[in-house]
Every structure is written in structure tokens, then in C-alpha cells.
Amino acid sequence: MTVYEAKQKILELKKEKDICILAHSYESRDIVEVADYTGDSYKLSVDASKVTNKNIVFAGVHFMAQTAKMLSPDKHVYMPNTAAGCEMAEQMDVELLAGMKAKEPDRTVVAYINTTAELKTLCDICVTSSSAVKIVSSIPDKKILFIPDCNLGAFVQKACPDKDIMLFNGGCPAHQRATRQDAVDAKAAHPDALLLVHPECRPAVTELADYVGSTSGIMNFAKNSDNKEFIIGTELSIAEHLQYECPDKRFWLLTKNIICPNMRMTTLMDVFNICNEIGTDAAADREILMSDELIAKAKVCIDRMIELGG
Ligand code: 13P
Ligand code: SF4
């Protein structure tokens, strides 16, 4: 089967089997092109809560598919490739967080959405990279425990100086590879370019940026800007998508080291296979299953995020 044929077949299968495809912006061009909704993790959470189809195929990483399931519990949610996890989401377990909470009982636990559903049951409110500053500044709580990303947490602390934010020493291994020197070198090599970075990058990088935002934020900024050149400080796929969508602009990489192997794991053929197998026993191993109790407990902090983040 050619790529074109696979795409055509996926479009037919979507109609035939009442499937909605959600794809994070880090997914490949082929996958983004067959998706019904694409964007950052906040946008996809809101989109997932509104899906009317019987089946959702989520091309992204595990915590994102779990979030979609929590927001659409009556739908069947499938991952095309269940090996795609988020390294940051696995950095904290329930025991570790319970221990931190016991030592800091008066702190509100703000969790980056890049956490497991089990961990979310212990958290007060979720945030995404696009909503973190808005949400933390809008809650009355002053004393906060921010988990697990210390870089996003530091970015929020800078934007909300009246808050007392305790950080956990976690983060995205891919974004942490970008260094201040990378930013200095890229700006020197491309003096007319604006530096756009994700808040998962280290403070030494974000403080040199012209814009700091989520994947959708970076894409929208570059598309709407009158500037013609940009240095992109997030997963390499975003520079690739932007170059495709804005052929008259130039996109440079902050570094070639921000690669998320998990986001690259899902292929167009994985998407075709799951669409083809939905409705048969063969798809069962890729369906996201969660108990009603886990959904009820973990969803509370996601609902609060959507209430405050829109
Ligand atoms: P977004 O909020 O931009 O979707 O970020 C999610 C993510 O995992 C980035 O590494
Ligand atoms: Fe997780 Fe980092 Fe990959 Fe985002 S880029 S999914 S935070 S490992």
C-alpha cells in the first residue's frame, strides 16, 4: 500500500467506523493530515471533551490518550502505538508525591498534564504549557507544589512573583538538552530570526527567547508574525510543520537535539492498522481502559483546568 492509499483508506475507515482522530502537533505530517483535530495538549483536551464519534484514535503519548478517555469516558479511545509514553510523566509515582504532600500539607498541588492518571488523583489542579501561567495566577492559593516539570514551574514562578512555588526536580529530557549556548549560537547565526521556545526548556534558554509558549502557541506566533525567520526551540517536528505551512518563511532549529522518540514512535501504518481493526478483538490491546473510580478521581483536576483555562 502506498502512503496515499493508506491515507485514503484511513479517511474511509473513519466514516465507516465512526472514528475521530486526534493528533498532537508533534506527530508526523502524514498523521496530522488525516486527523480531525490537531494541536497542543490543552486544545486536544478540550477537543476530546466535545467529540461525538463512538471511537477516538489518539496519536500522541499515553497521558494524552488517558486524558481523552477521562474527558470522553463513554467513547472507545485507542492508541495506534501503546509503546509511546512520555518520559516526564513517568518521573513521579504516587508514593513519592504522597510523601511530598505529607511534608507540605498546606501547598496546593498543581500538576502539569504530563502526569499519569494515578498521580492526578492526588493533585488539586492540572495545567498545560499554554494555560499554566493563566491558571496559577487565577487561583487564590499562594503556596503551591508544582510537579513534575521544574522548567515550566520556574517559568510560572517568574510570571507569578506573588506565589510561593515549590518545584520537583523533573522535566522533559528532550527539551532539557537545549542549552543557553545553543540559543546564543543560533541567534548569532540568524540575527534576523525570532527565538520561539517551549517552556519545558531550561530558564537559561527561555530568558533569551522572544516568545515562550506551547506547541500551538509557537505555531500560531510564527504564522501570524510579520517576521520572516524563526529559531524553533521545541521538538523538531514543529519546525518541519511550520516550514511546510509557511513556505515563504525560514525556520531554523535551536538545536537538533530536541527529539522526542515517543512522539515519533507512531506511524501512519499504526494509524491505519488501528482504524482497520477497531470493532474486532485485534484492537483490544490498544484500547485505553480505566476504572470508573480512577476516572472519577483523576478527572477532578482536569475539569478544574478546563474551567479556568479557556
Ligand atoms: P504542549 O502543551 O505544547 O502540547 O506540550 C506537550 C508536550 O509534551 C511538550 O513536550
Ligand atoms: Fe514528554 Fe518531552 Fe516527549 Fe513532550 S517532548 S511528550 S514532555 S518526553
Side-chain angles (χ1 to χ4, degrees):
M1 196 183 327
T2 63
V3 168
Y4 176 78
E5 286 164 348
K7 283 184 180 168
Q8 291 303 112
K9 200 77 190 119
I10 290 169
L11 299 182
E12 286 165 23
L13 287 163
K14 284 203 300 184
K15 276 197 203 137
E16 190 189 309
K17 300 194 183 186
D18 198 19
I19 300 169
C20 176
I21 300 181
L22 273 62
H24 190 268
S25 322
Y26 286 162
E27 294 294 320
S28 67
R29 187 89 235 138
D30 287 339
I31 294 177
V32 162
E33 280 176 358
V34 293
D36 299 280
Y37 298 101
T38 60
D40 63 12
S41 46
Y42 183 75
K43 178 179 177 294
L44 291 179
S45 302
V46 176
D47 292 339
S49 68
K50 294 182 182 155
V51 168
T52 53
N53 306 73
K54 193 171 144 205
N55 299 298
I56 294 176
V57 166
F58 202 112
V61 289
H62 198 253
F63 79 83
M64 295 178 181
Q66 271 191 332
T67 306
K69 176 69 185 171
M70 289 189 262
L71 290 168
S72 277
D74 54 329
K75 314 284 175 201
H76 294 283
V77 178
Y78 298 89
M79 280 187 83
N81 187 330
T82 51
C86 165
E87 287 178 68
M88 172 160 31
E90 309 297 331
Q91 286 167 344
M92 264 191 131
D93 61 19
V94 168
E95 288 71 35
L96 181 59
L97 179 56
M100 289 182 83
K101 282 181 61 158
K103 283 191 199 139
E104 299 284 337
D106 55 344
R107 286 187 186 268
T108 298
V109 181
V110 177
Y112 191 18
I113 198 162
N114 298 36
T115 40
T116 61
E118 288 74 15
L119 209 67
K120 287 185 176 88
T121 63
L122 298 187
C123 301
D124 297 302
I125 187 160
C126 261
V127 296
T128 63
S129 61
S130 63
S131 62
V133 170
K134 182 175 176 194
I135 289 177
V136 171
S137 56
S138 68
I139 56 174
D141 320 53
K142 289 269 178 261
K143 292 189 76 175
I144 286 163
L145 169 59
F146 191 98
I147 59 152
D149 187 355
C150 65
N151 293 334
L152 179 62
F155 180 71
V156 174
Q157 176 70 86
K158 198 172 166 197
C160 307
D162 58 316
K163 306 280 178 176
D164 163 11
I165 304 183
M166 183 179 168
L167 302 174
F168 174 72
N169 192 23
C172 167
H175 285 81
Q176 280 180 334
R177 281 185 217 120
T179 64
R180 185 179 187 88
Q181 195 58 49
D182 290 328
V184 171
D185 292 347
K187 281 174 149 240
H190 309 292
D192 296 331
L194 296 178
L195 174 61
L196 319 182
V197 310
H198 199 279
E200 287 176 14
C201 289
R202 297 172 189 278
V205 175
T206 50
E207 72 201 13
L208 294 183
D210 297 292
Y211 172 80
V212 182
S214 71
T215 49
S216 293
I218 289 174
M219 292 183 84
N220 291 337
F221 185 99
K223 285 180 201 168
N224 297 330
S225 168
D226 292 333
N227 216 65
K228 291 286 177 205
E229 285 187 57
F230 305 88
I231 302 161
I232 303 299
T234 190
E235 222 282 339
L236 307 192
S237 51
I238 297 300
E240 198 182 323
H241 292 316
L242 279 169
Q243 193 59 79
Y244 184 89
E245 289 175 37
C246 311
D248 59 329
K249 296 184 176 181
R250 292 299 299 268
F251 297 92
W252 310 102
L253 297 178
L254 169 60
T255 158
K256 56 183 191 294
N257 296 330
I258 312 182
I259 298 177
C260 178
N262 286 291
M263 282 288 186
R264 284 166 181 258
M265 212 169 262
T266 304
T267 64
L268 184 71
M269 283 315 287
D270 290 331
V271 177
F272 167 75
N273 287 334
I274 192 65
C275 290
N276 198 31
E277 287 166 9
I278 280 176
T280 74
D281 290 347
D285 62 344
R286 279 151 291 160
E287 178 163 7
I288 301 289
L289 297 174
M290 298 166 72
S291 70
D292 291 347
E293 195 193 349
L294 178 57
I295 292 179
K297 284 188 183 161
K299 193 174 170 290
V300 176
C301 61
I302 298 174
D303 287 340
R304 274 195 85 193
M305 170 188 86
I306 293 180
E307 254 166 54
L308 293 172

